Amino acid sequence: MALLRRIPGARVTELDAGCCGMAGSFGFEAEHYDLSLRIARDRLVPALATEPPTTAVAATGVSCRQQIAHTTHHAARHPLRLVRDALADPPGHRGGNGDVAGG
C-alpha cells in the first residue's frame, strides 16, 4: 500500500473486503466453486461495486485477480504493474481518475 501511495496523483484506499474466496486453486475446484462465490459476494464484491469502472484495483494474488474479474466490473492488476505503468506514463497522461483500491 505504501508503494501505491507514492504514485503521484493516486488516491489509494485499502478495502476491508475480506477474502476473495479462491484460496489459490480451492475455488476453481467444481465442488468448491459455489462456496468461493458466496465468500466473494459477502464483502469483496459489494466493496468493489461502489467503485467506478475507472478505479484501478490492485490485488497481489493471481486467484484473487481472477475472482475479481469474474464477479465485478473490474480487472484487478498486480500492484507492481500499476507502479510500472505510473512510471512509464506520468501524471496528466494516465487514463482513469487516479483512484486505486486494493486489499
Side-chain angles (χ1 to χ4, degrees), residues 10-76:
R11 292 180 303 276
V12 180
T13 304
E14 185 170 3
L15 299 177
D16 182 18
C19 179
C20 74
M22 292 303 278
S25 63
F26 174 87
F28 287 111
E29 297 169 2
E31 62 270 22
H32 302 132
Y33 184 69
D34 288 338
L35 175 60
S36 77
L37 290 177
R38 285 197 311 270
I39 292 169
R41 290 178 179 143
D42 182 47
R43 290 174 42 201
L44 175 65
V45 173
L48 290 175
T50 63
E51 295 295 328
T54 55
T55 298
V57 177
T60 56
V62 173
S63 58
C64 293
R65 292 192 302 270
Q66 290 178 331
Q67 183 80 313
I68 290 167
H70 293 168
T71 58
T72 74
H73 58 271
H74 293 284

